[in-house]
Amino acid sequence: MTFGNVAVGLVFALQILLGLLGNCSLFFHCISLHFSELRVRPTGVILRHLTIANSMVILSKGITQTMAAFGVREFLNDLGCKLVFYLHRVGRGVSIGTTCLLSVCQMVTISPWTSIWAKHRDRAAQNTEHYTVLTWILSMSFNLMVAVHISGNSESKNITKRRIIGYCSVILQHEIAASLHTVLLSIPDMLYLGLMLWASGSMVSMLHRHKQQVQHLHRACVTTRASPETRATQNILILVSTFVTCYTLSSICHLCIVLSKNPSWLLVNLSALLAASFPTVSPFLLMSHCSRL
């Protein structure tokens, strides 16, 4: 076991520790607000599901990557590999979907009463739980195809039809099939990403218009502190830019692995590290930039 393996194993172990600490803190904070308030906040419901999905992503890949980095070989059979990759994909899909739902919920909440979204505000708040459950169902159903193409390295399959990616293998018949499979799995993520960017852009536009309308009030009160609209806009941009950056880098690494005949050890570990980067960082961003969740 080389120094590089030990370093990678420690990095994954630290990511697991920080990720679970942040998501558990956010989860119990949402639970405490749920029992202390008279009404259920839609954002609290979404954040509870988000923390569960984030924890699934961190644990499904983090533990296995840590074991592989510390030299444990062939610790997963065919069923184990299918289960780990399936749970990772489901958790990742729900994490992206609930983050998108959080952006849309915030956009509907801050929309003015003259907006077309104002009439849907109460209905959206009442059906938040149904939307999050639907996100789980869609992710669990859509990612069933992942289990078909994953197997353990110790399984007796034709080596020409499988591509080893660390402790498991991907079974694909042709390069075109690999590309189509990757594109197909990326369709829901692209839809969530587009919807999130639209909702975030709408929120920034609403806050900017509101800031202009009350600008004379801010001028009357001489202060060096940023206005609430400016702080809210900064929080939105920080969360969305972090998500887009982590997701883009993770997708690029994943695409390189799929298209590569023999993915390098460094590329496989970097892809797993980036895949859990947003689930690890997002709870800290949400807790530090939101005075009231």
Side-chain angles (χ1 to χ4, degrees):
M1 186 167 54
T2 64
F3 174 78
N5 292 94
V6 175
V8 170
L10 291 176
V11 169
F12 277 109
L14 180 61
Q15 187 183 54
I16 294 173
L17 179 62
L18 291 177
L20 292 181
L21 176 63
N23 283 284
C24 288
S25 300
L26 182 57
F27 178 82
F28 287 114
H29 182 71
C30 293
I31 291 295
S32 64
L33 288 179
H34 174 75
F35 288 105
S36 62
E37 294 183 337
L38 297 178
R39 63 187 181 91
V40 178
R41 291 179 178 268
T43 53
V45 175
I46 298 173
L47 289 174
R48 289 200 298 271
H49 286 268
L50 177 63
T51 55
I52 296 174
N54 287 344
S55 300
M56 284 179 57
V57 175
I58 295 169
L59 291 174
S60 59
K61 276 298 184 69
I63 294 178
T64 50
Q65 292 292 148
T66 303
M67 295 176 64
F70 283 126
V72 182
R73 302 299 178 190
E74 296 184 357
F75 52 90
L76 289 178
N77 56 14
D78 187 64
L79 180 60
C81 282
K82 292 180 183 298
L83 183 61
V84 165
F85 273 79
Y86 178 71
L87 291 177
H88 172 75
R89 290 293 309 185
V90 170
R92 183 176 182 271
V94 175
S95 177
I96 297 173
T98 49
T99 304
C100 171
L101 186 60
L102 179 63
S103 298
V104 175
C105 180
Q106 290 175 331
M107 187 269 291
V108 173
T109 300
I110 70 171
S111 60
W113 288 105
T114 56
S115 172
I116 189 176
W117 300 106
K119 63 179 70 175
H120 302 290
R121 186 174 300 167
D122 294 336
R123 184 184 303 174
Q126 295 173 358
N127 295 323
T128 303
E129 188 75 43
H130 298 100
Y131 296 149
T132 52
V133 172
L134 180 61
T135 304
W136 280 98
I137 295 174
L138 291 176
S139 184
M140 293 173 66
S141 303
F142 198 82
N143 287 289
L144 283 174
M145 65 178 69
V146 174
V148 178
H149 299 284
I150 298 296
S151 71
N153 292 337
S154 60
E155 300 298 318
S156 57
K157 291 183 174 66
N158 189 351
I159 193 66
T160 60
K161 294 183 179 180
R162 73 178 184 178
R163 187 173 302 156
I164 297 177
I165 49 172
Y167 47 86
C168 294
S169 301
V170 179
I171 308 299
L172 292 172
Q173 300 294 333
H174 197 272
E175 294 294 333
I176 298 179
S179 302
L180 292 176
H181 180 257
T182 303
V183 171
L184 186 60
L185 287 177
S186 301
I187 291 177
D189 297 346
M190 291 292 101
L191 293 176
Y192 285 138
L193 180 60
L195 189 59
M196 186 188 309
L197 292 174
W198 168 76
S200 301
S202 300
M203 280 190 286
V204 171
S205 178
M206 292 176 189
L207 292 171
H208 179 68
R209 290 197 301 268
H210 179 69
K211 180 182 178 181
Q212 289 180 328
Q213 292 172 358
V214 299
Q215 196 169 14
H216 64 283
L217 296 178
H218 293 305
R219 289 174 180 174
C221 300
V222 180
T223 178
T224 58
R225 186 180 181 183
S227 65
E229 296 82 7
T230 301
R231 295 195 301 271
T233 303
Q234 292 174 349
N235 296 341
I236 294 168
L237 292 177
I238 289 174
L239 184 63
V240 174
S241 60
T242 303
F243 173 84
V244 172
T245 301
C246 295
Y247 173 78
T248 302
L249 294 176
S250 175
S251 299
I252 292 174
C253 287
H254 179 71
L255 183 62
C256 292
I257 291 175
V258 172
L259 298 179
S260 176
K261 293 183 179 180
N262 187 21
S264 65
W265 171 84
L266 180 61
L267 183 61
V268 172
N269 284 283
L270 181 61
S271 177
L273 189 67
L274 290 173
S277 57
F278 183 76
T280 302
V281 174
S282 59
F284 295 102
L285 290 176
L286 290 168
M287 287 187 291
S288 62
H289 291 286
C290 296
S291 59
R292 190 66 180 264
L293 298 176

